[in-house]
Amino acid sequence: MHNITYSPLSEQAIIVEFGDQWSVEIYEQILQLSKKLTLTPFPGFIEAVPAYTTLTIYYDLRISEPRSFSHLCRVIDSYFQQTDQHIKEPRTIAIPVCYDRTLGPDLDEVAQTNNLTIEKVIQLHTEPTYNVCFLGFSPGFPFLSGMNTSIATPRKSTPRKQVAAGSVGIAGVQTGVYPSPSPAGWQIIGRTPVSLLKLTEDPPTLLHPGDRVQFYSITKQQFDAWEEK
Amino acid sequence: MGIRFTKEGFLTTIQDDGRYGYQSLGFSTNGVMDQLAMKHANLLVNNNNVKEAVLEMSIIGPSMTFEADMVIALTGADMSPKVNHKPVPLNKPLVIQAGDRLDLHAAKNGVYTYLAISGGFDIADTLNSKSTALHVGIGGFKGRAIQTGDYLPIRTSLKRTPVHWGLSSDVTSYIYDEKKVIHYIEGRQYDWFTDEAKAAIDEELFQLTPQSNRMGFRLTGPMLEHKETKQLLTEATTFGTIQVPPSGEAIILMADRQPTGGYPKIGQVIQDDLPKLSQIRPGQTFHFVRCTLEEAQQKMLEKERQLNRLQAAIQLKWKEWGHAHN
């Protein structure tokens, strides 16, 4: 709790920073504060938006009392005094991925960059259980931590104009999944037939901050069969 | 009961004040570009909720016919509105009869015009909001922009005789003033920028480029150089965030922005100046002026008090108007 800093994002938003580098401890602190705010919101609280090392708290200035920045920082500070909320065992969501060159056009580049075989890349990408740090870039896009750095690959020098929904990518030490068709600078290594967006439901996304993700490899035949369902 | 569009216009969408509660799942807030014009429009038609969904029309307005009696109001940019081919004023309640047609044209000043209807549009909420999320295809009217031939239902019809009162020009002048000054507070990475950049943002002129839309405004002007070379870890951004990519050319994030971003923030446009900023046209120039968070908050609360006084006054007018019908 010692390295926490507060800065205004706007008249009605405060960025709470927990440190300058992502870590599991910081990740858990962010989830804790977010949970406490949601369960017992202060008057005027609107929403909390997590990112790697920050939680941004939006509030309605006209409702929140007291109104000054320093008072609001103290209000937020008081949540750290509360006993931690029990966070239930995170959900682990298994996501099938077809690591086929036709769906993962950058598999070769990722393998070559790291002096690995494609089989080894797939093995290293499906091995870990990833943390869903936050969602951003586009609705339902998960920023996942925990990737093996031996498959880290810089972004494409020229971003693609469009990749298909479900495309699984690598950018530096990050990995993620594009939930909808999108321009993409990430290295695309495969595609999932599972939809990460559930726009007719509430909540409207498959993944939420705090979830865990495990990728598993499926064949092109399984992928095609999946799409036909 | 509703409105039939005979011409769709450049970009016509349903928006309210935005979609909140879903930014942590990666959803943009969307919502109107000019919140003040939206509130003015709702006040004029006596909607208790000043954030009731309105029609946002940009650059070139649509044409429509009304299939019920209703009271509407037009605010924001001047698109030379005509009802049955006769010019009608902005910023006043307009009495519409079933069969009337409204034609809007190219915006003469400003960019965004708003149309509110007494009683509101008959449209369901999607994830707590009626705002159209164009990139996701949800909310508003079928998750998309209005197209020629669309029929937009309204909740209630209303028959009234014309009145002659409206908003005074001083509350709408922010759109028309030639000299544009946009206030900002220092961003979280303000000190990542060189002294030259800090001086330039306060002293030099910025121009809005044509690569500007509901997502973001791209500016040309002085290069704002970073003194720090470290990478920013992606964090939240909001309406009015002035972020600077390595190219040094500033981008201001607008209503359809992503909820997070990875470029250093040199500043944040104050909420009170977002309506004025939204109505700046590509090619127009403006100055930034730095202020404190406290000043920004006071301005915002003062604007809120003004709106409350305006609402009380207009509600009284509507009461008199109602008596005249009894």
Side-chain angles (χ1 to χ4, degrees):
Chain A
M1 302 301 123
H2 318 294
N3 298 322
I4 286 168
T5 58
Y6 298 97
S7 21
L9 170 63
S10 74
E11 292 91 321
Q12 306 189 92
I14 290 179
I15 298 187
V16 185
E17 188 177 49
F18 292 77
D20 55 10
Q21 241 179 345
W22 189 87
S23 68
V24 175
E25 293 71 44
I26 283 180
Y27 172 60
E28 281 166 359
Q29 287 175 31
I30 291 172
L31 291 175
Q32 269 296 337
L33 180 58
S34 178
K35 178 143 191 181
K36 287 175 182 172
L37 284 162
T38 315
L39 286 175
T40 51
F42 61 86
F45 171 78
I46 296 173
E47 62 184 318
V49 180
Y52 284 117
T53 58
T54 55
L55 184 72
T56 299
I57 299 169
Y58 290 90
Y59 56 94
D60 187 336
L61 183 68
R62 296 159 306 177
I63 298 172
S64 59
E65 288 281 359
R67 282 168 173 164
S68 79
F69 174 71
S70 55
H71 275 99
L72 266 157
C73 293
R74 259 173 268 153
V75 169
I76 296 164
D77 227 28
S78 69
Y79 283 85
F80 292 112
Q81 319 305 324
Q82 285 182 15
T83 20
D84 278 358
Q85 287 295 327
H86 175 67
I87 292 192
K88 57 176 190 280
E89 196 56 28
R91 306 186 300 163
T92 300
I93 293 157
I95 296 183
V97 178
C98 176
Y99 298 92
D100 185 279
R101 278 197 184 87
T102 56
L103 305 176
D106 300 321
L107 268 175
D108 285 310
E109 192 173 335
V110 172
Q112 280 159 20
T113 307
N114 294 290
N115 279 319
L116 298 169
T117 60
I118 285 182
E119 291 66 37
K120 190 70 185 169
V121 170
I122 297 170
Q123 188 208 322
L124 291 175
H125 194 256
T126 50
E127 224 166 45
T129 305
Y130 298 94
N131 294 307
V132 179
C133 295
F134 65 100
L135 298 113
F137 176 67
S138 73
F141 186 106
F143 284 80
L144 303 172
S145 69
M147 195 178 78
N148 192 320
T149 50
S150 37
I151 52 172
T153 313
R155 284 162 209 260
K156 302 291 289 176
S157 44
T158 315
R160 286 194 171 84
K161 286 219 171 71
Q162 182 148 311
V163 298
S167 293
V168 177
I170 289 178
V173 297
Q174 307 176 92
T175 185
V177 185
Y178 289 91
S180 46
S182 156
W186 292 32
Q187 304 280 354
I188 305 300
I189 59 166
R191 196 187 300 171
T192 177
V194 170
S195 176
L196 273 70
L197 278 180
K198 304 161 152 229
L199 293 174
T200 53
E201 294 171 31
D202 192 1
T205 58
L206 175 67
L207 302 175
H208 305 142
D211 286 345
R212 299 221 167 121
V213 164
Q214 176 92 54
F215 294 115
Y216 67 96
S217 177
I218 58 168
T219 63
K220 184 73 173 32
Q221 286 78 7
Q222 285 173 305
F223 179 89
D224 292 337
W226 213 297
E227 287 202 308
E228 283 159 18
K229 270 181 196 170
Chain B
M1 212 166 33
I3 299 175
R4 177 81 61 190
F5 288 85
T6 53
K7 211 178 80 196
E8 60 201 32
F10 179 77
L11 180 65
T12 305
T13 58
I14 292 282
Q15 302 289 345
D16 56 18
D17 72 319
R19 180 169 287 105
Y20 295 94
Y22 296 91
Q23 291 196 88
S24 62
L25 299 181
F27 284 75
S28 305
T29 65
N30 311 119
V32 290
M33 288 286 275
D34 181 346
Q35 296 227 1
L36 187 58
M38 166 192 73
K39 289 174 185 170
H40 283 159
N42 277 317
L43 288 179
L44 286 166
V45 298
N46 204 30
N47 285 338
N48 280 330
N49 178 11
V50 294
K51 298 167 178 174
E52 181 66 48
V54 294
L55 200 60
E56 180 180 276
M57 303 166 285
S58 49
I59 303 171
I60 301 165
S63 292
M64 61 197 87
T65 53
F66 299 92
E67 300 190 1
D69 295 339
M70 59 188 93
V71 175
I72 67 166
L74 293 162
T75 60
D78 184 356
M79 292 182 172
S80 311
K82 292 186 177 72
V83 171
N84 302 332
H85 309 290
K86 283 192 201 110
V88 290
L90 294 167
N91 305 311
K92 280 183 181 175
L94 299 174
V95 170
I96 295 291
Q97 290 177 323
D100 283 353
R101 68 177 281 179
L102 170 66
D103 292 290
L104 292 144
H105 305 88
K108 285 195 293 191
N109 44 40
V111 177
Y112 297 98
T113 305
Y114 294 88
L115 187 157
I117 293 207
S118 190
F121 294 101
D122 191 8
I123 276 187
D125 279 13
T126 306
L127 304 175
N128 290 341
S129 165
K130 294 185 175 62
S131 287
T132 313
L134 287 171
H135 297 91
V136 205
I138 59 162
F141 184 81
K142 299 182 177 176
R144 60 164 172 82
I146 294 289
Q147 296 171 359
T148 303
D150 282 345
Y151 181 78
L152 190 57
I154 63 164
R155 285 207 199 97
T156 52
S157 73
L158 185 63
K159 202 171 179 60
R160 286 284 162 112
T161 49
V163 282
H164 297 289
W165 50 268
L167 298 178
S168 68
S169 59
D170 57 324
V171 296
T172 58
S173 60
Y174 70 96
I175 300 168
Y176 318 111
D177 283 348
E178 278 305 308
K179 203 166 147 43
K180 306 273 186 193
V181 173
I182 301 296
H183 292 83
Y184 76 97
I185 56 174
E186 291 174 11
R188 217 165 89 84
Q189 290 82 32
Y190 183 73
D191 286 326
W192 288 26
F193 289 84
T194 60
D195 290 343
E196 291 76 18
K198 290 180 188 173
I201 189 172
D202 288 344
E203 287 160 15
E204 294 189 38
L205 210 54
F206 288 81
Q207 186 178 39
L208 200 66
T209 70
Q211 289 77 45
S212 297
N213 53 35
R214 281 183 45 91
M215 258 184 101
F217 282 3
R218 285 178 180 271
L219 311 182
T220 54
M223 288 292 138
L224 303 174
E225 283 178 20
H226 306 175
K227 147 177 96 176
E228 294 275 350
T229 49
K230 61 182 170 190
Q231 287 270 316
L232 178 68
L233 282 174
T234 297
E235 61 180 39
T237 57
T238 192
F239 199 164
T241 299
I242 312 166
Q243 61 171 28
V244 185
S247 71
E249 296 204 300
I251 298 170
I252 312 181
L253 299 174
M254 304 301 282
D256 283 349
R257 74 202 169 274
Q258 298 158 6
T260 54
Y263 293 129
K265 308 168 171 73
I266 194 170
Q268 170 69 37
V269 174
I270 71 168
Q271 314 250 320
D272 195 43
D273 279 347
L274 290 177
K276 193 198 297 177
L277 175 69
S278 296
Q279 296 286 5
I280 293 180
R281 297 158 69 97
Q284 273 190 311
T285 55
F286 62 95
H287 273 107
F288 282 114
V289 170
R290 192 153 43 107
C291 73
T292 65
L293 175 66
E294 291 68 32
E295 287 165 344
Q297 290 179 324
Q298 274 163 24
K299 278 192 180 191
M300 189 193 140
L301 294 170
E302 175 51 33
K303 184 59 59 65
E304 194 64 24
R305 285 190 285 272
Q306 281 174 19
L307 273 172
N308 288 341
R309 288 195 292 270
L310 200 55
Q311 183 164 32
I314 290 176
Q315 279 170 343
L316 216 59
K317 289 276 186 199
W318 266 79
K319 229 176 233 171
E320 291 166 14
W321 198 6
H323 288 315
H325 281 259
N326 292 337

